[in-house]
Amino acid sequence: MRLEDYQPYSFELESTDLTFDIRADHTDVESTTSFRRKNDEQNELELDGIDLELLSIAIDNRPLTSNEYSVDSTKLSIVDLPERFKLTIQTRIYPQANTALEGLYRSGDLYCTQCEAEGFRKITYYPDRPDVQSKFTTTLVADSGQFGVMLANGNLIRDEITSDNRRRVTWVDPFNKPSYLFALVAGNLAVLEDNFTTLSGRNIALRIYSEPHNIDACTHAMESLKRAMAWDESAFGREYDLDTFMIVAVEDFNMGAMENKGLNIFNTSCVLASPSTATDAAYLRVEGVVAHEYFHNWSGNRVTCRDWFQLSLKEGFTVFRDSEFSAAMNSRNVKRIQDVDVLRTAQFAEDASPLAHPVRPTSYIEISNFYTTTIYEKGAEVVRMLSTMLGQDNFRSATDLYFDRHDGGAATTEDFVVAMEDVSGVNLDRFRNWYSQAGTPVIEVEESRINDLITLHLKQSCPPSPNQPSKSTFHIPISIGLISIDGQDALGQAGAANGFDIHVHTDLNFENPNADGTLAFHFDCEETTITISGVPPKSVVSFLRGFSAPVNVTFPRSNTDLLHLATLDTDGFVRWDAAQKILGSTITTPASDTQFAKALLQKLSRSAVSAADDGETKALLASAMTLPSTLYVLDQNPGRDVIELDGGRDRLLSEMGIALEDSWEEIVNQNISDSPYHADGISIARRSLSHLAMDYLGAGLEKRGPGTAWDLYYDLYRRCDNLTDRLFAFSRLLRLEASLAEKKSVVIQDFHDRFNASALVTDKWFSVQAGCKVSGTLPRIVELATHPEFDLQNPNRARALLSTFATVNHREFHRSDGKSYTFLADQILKLDSLNPQLASRVCIPLTRWQRFDSGRQERMKDSLERIQRDCQSKDLREVTQKSLVA
Ligand code: PHE
Ligand code: ZN
């Protein structure tokens, strides 16, 4: 599929009427659609359809004979049509045999649908594209008594028992929508009910459905939903439009959740939360995903995408919106650091890989492969840059204009940018390169200093990516500050208020210094020089504040300057980033001098000990003291031995564990709590700080006497009342000395039995073992893959074992004999025949081979080649082909 081939559809749809007759071994679907031809020249109707049994087809109630239409494995076409006509099609489908979880499928005894991006064509023949919209009426028919709950989009208008003792319910959705937003659910579910009064005083009924035994775990999602509804009104002026809003939790789901109009369908992992079955991270994720799907009602549903090349129009924008929401509900700095961390580890890696693609791609083979971190997270960064460049008020006016202009329509990323330009008058020509060019730009900074004059030389470039050997200049917003020797902001109004008199000279446009001492420049040329005069001695430049653009920065600077920033900068991101740089360089230099890492951790851990009991302060300290992940370090040093780097990371942990033992102990004692679990900011921060300190402490103990950290972790494991602590302790126990094998197996059994009723906790049981980075664990992983509770058909379970193994367990996944790659490839091929979308996702770690040393590269490519040879799906074919080209 190519962007340049886009053609509008030649027909308009006035209405779509669907009836689903659900029987034990099949479901019959009857769809009646009213079409109107848009122009005289085009008189061929093309409908999409896959894996359908066609039972009948009629135009204006007249059945067609087989020579009046043609049908192949993906399309049905009819020629010589009147200007207006009603098309009725009956198809038969087999939801119980649908393991791809696309279209209508069964999850346990529950029937549900997943239609984005191209699942509707597995239900009936239809123009399955986002720019074709219509009003849907949906009728579900099943044996009466079979399902307590039968739902579809919109409002319920009829619910009756027919003469043949079947239940028949009809839902009408008054809004036009594309087929990918269609949904139905039929099952025996419990419901949690609440309501919300909108800004204009309308009362909305809110319902969350789950299996009865999980309904108590839905309250956090409900509270999150109400907060999201209120926030979207105040932050974006967006009100909800239907009378009911429903969420259904299902156990088998390929992704996190889906924004179907008025009837969101969620992976249980993004709805359920109770202290003993969800971690702190899960609580935050539920809040974020509930908000994300709700926000799609405007950014995605009311204004949808013209075609799937515009996917980031709804996803990037909506991720930006949910991230702003989470920042407002919790801590802005903490959320920013978490987002940047994800972006730099996952998205930068994608951007440097053969699967790199622009935020608006120009071609694809299988659209499901494009639900990527580039479309989502980089897309959100692009929207964030716009909001930074326009400023809050203009940005809000521009989003208002965008929603107004395109309400009820299907838009492009270009439409979004035009709305930004129209409101602000800022020229965004160069900015558009963020949508069309793949790859992470690099900014090289050179600083020189003569007396009170700082000269910053900036140069931008962007490495080549597939089909894009050279790049044009980007328009990059860059935020800069200056931190004086005693930690004061020295630039701008804040600088003046602090008694500094500093002048900045540049050819770039820049925003008036705002009160916090940050200058925002529009860096839209290849190279430039910024000079700052009147600089007081020993002040340090704070660069890319707030991570103002998704770029890699190379800025050679001394550890002394980094230490200054890490401890004194007023910008949370820069503080964290400077700390990561010091720690990262200590990890990569074998036998390095650990003096700066130690000085840094000493200062930070002391601050932690004396810190007020404040969530943001504690959370920021915890993240600054967390060693950078091995894969991020590897990405900064491609070609290095991953196991060596992982070992370097562990060594630094244990050395600092010993050197700063007293501080770690004190941090643990101060932050471990005996009061009942709460998922609020301060409690979460205390837990992450205490876990961090226990990591250092435990590593130190192990170094002195293998096995001696057992009690530290076991004590927590035994007495905690929540999954966050228990999971942490469980995973650390499993990493300890092999001689503890017997004790470990007791704990493994205990964890297993404790919450055996909860599928989500059982997922964790698999993932902790899969991620246990001890060499020689492959046989245990293989054993787990044949465990009775392992199920390749359940995406959460498959990911818990396979994706965790491949992304977390560097030690064993990257063993040098390549046996783990072979194991993963075997599993991927099995999965391919069941669920191609999932198979292709599980394959991603193998496609990141370029960052590894040459031996591992060869063995990873061997596995990719075998997958390419033996796979059935175009999902895997695209991913393996593209990743092997480079
Ligand atoms: N559109 C969903 C989201 O909110 C993601 C999704 C895509 C879900 C495809 C299912 C299938 O991000
Ligand atoms: Zn989304």
Side-chain angles (χ1 to χ4, degrees), residues 114 116 255 257-259 292-293 296 314-315 371 376:
Q114 174 49 48
E116 187 179 1
M255 310 278 274
M258 179 63 210
E259 70 264 24
H292 178 99
E293 305 310 330
H296 268 315
K314 74 176 177 81
E315 295 305 345
Y371 287 78
Y376 277 69

Side-chain angles (χ1 to χ4, degrees), residues 443-447 456-459 541 543 553-556:
I443 300 181
E444 288 168 71
V445 188
E446 266 170 44
E447 182 190 308
L456 288 177
H457 184 75
L458 268 55
K459 184 166 174 239
V541 173
F543 195 76
V553 176
T554 61
F555 189 167

Side-chain angles (χ1 to χ4, degrees), residues 19-35:
T19 301
F20 291 80
D21 189 355
I22 302 174
R23 305 276 173 175
D25 65 336
H26 65 265
T27 293
D28 285 340
V29 183
E30 182 178 290
S31 79
T32 299
T33 312
S34 313
F35 287 89

